[in-house]
Amino acid sequence: CAVFLMPVLPYLTDSIAHLDRAFGMIADAGASSAACTALHLRPGAREWYLAWIAREHPELVPRYAELYRGGANAPKEYRSWLAARVQPLLRKHGLDRPPRVVPPQFDPPPLVQAAGVARARTPASAQPTLF
């Protein structure tokens, strides 16, 4: 199981202590890999979130204004900083492996030839009914 930890809230949940605890809990739950990224502030969510920051953490308003001045994404410098901070924690918790994709195991239905095109045949008993 791979886990995508998002959003990491700049200056609120990007500390080593917060990230270490989150990745520890993810590993304890049985995940084999994890990734994360910073808060993405699209229009609508942006206004709501920035109003919440102004109300609950007014000291962060100037930092958020600077960080998200270029749009919805945190700047590349912040994202790179976050990735460098997270990498040792992923390694520590054994979550730095790429996700393993396991193809589904099933027996395909037999093919039927109709007008020169091969199509899968679904048994009548497997057909859903409306009523």
Side-chain angles (χ1 to χ4, degrees):
C1 173
V3 173
F4 188 35
L5 175 66
M6 185 192 181
V8 174
L9 306 176
Y11 314 114
L12 293 173
T13 63
D14 61 359
S15 70
I16 290 174
H18 278 107
L19 295 167
D20 188 43
R21 182 168 183 252
F23 290 128
M25 292 170 71
I26 289 168
D28 289 347
S32 56
S33 66
C36 73
T37 192
L39 177 66
H40 184 83
L41 288 177
R42 290 188 182 153
R46 180 185 190 95
E47 292 77 13
W48 179 89
Y49 183 78
L50 293 179
W52 179 81
I53 284 289
R55 187 174 60 253
E56 300 296 325
H57 299 281
E59 73 283 2
L60 294 179
V61 169
R63 294 174 89 180
Y64 269 84
E66 176 66 21
L67 194 62
Y68 287 94
R69 73 185 179 283
N73 293 314
K76 184 177 181 178
E77 296 80 17
Y78 178 84
R79 294 189 320 260
S80 295
W81 173 85
L82 182 61
R85 174 167 274 210
V86 162
Q87 192 55 46
L89 298 172
L90 293 175
R91 200 170 22 260
K92 172 184 175 183
H93 294 288
L95 297 169
D96 58 340
R97 298 180 296 275
R100 186 173 152 244
V101 178
V102 179
Q105 299 297 314
F106 66 94
D107 293 323
L111 295 178
V112 60
Q113 193 74 24
V117 178
R119 293 182 297 170
R121 178 191 304 251
T122 304
S125 62
Q127 292 290 328
T129 58
L130 294 175
F131 306 100

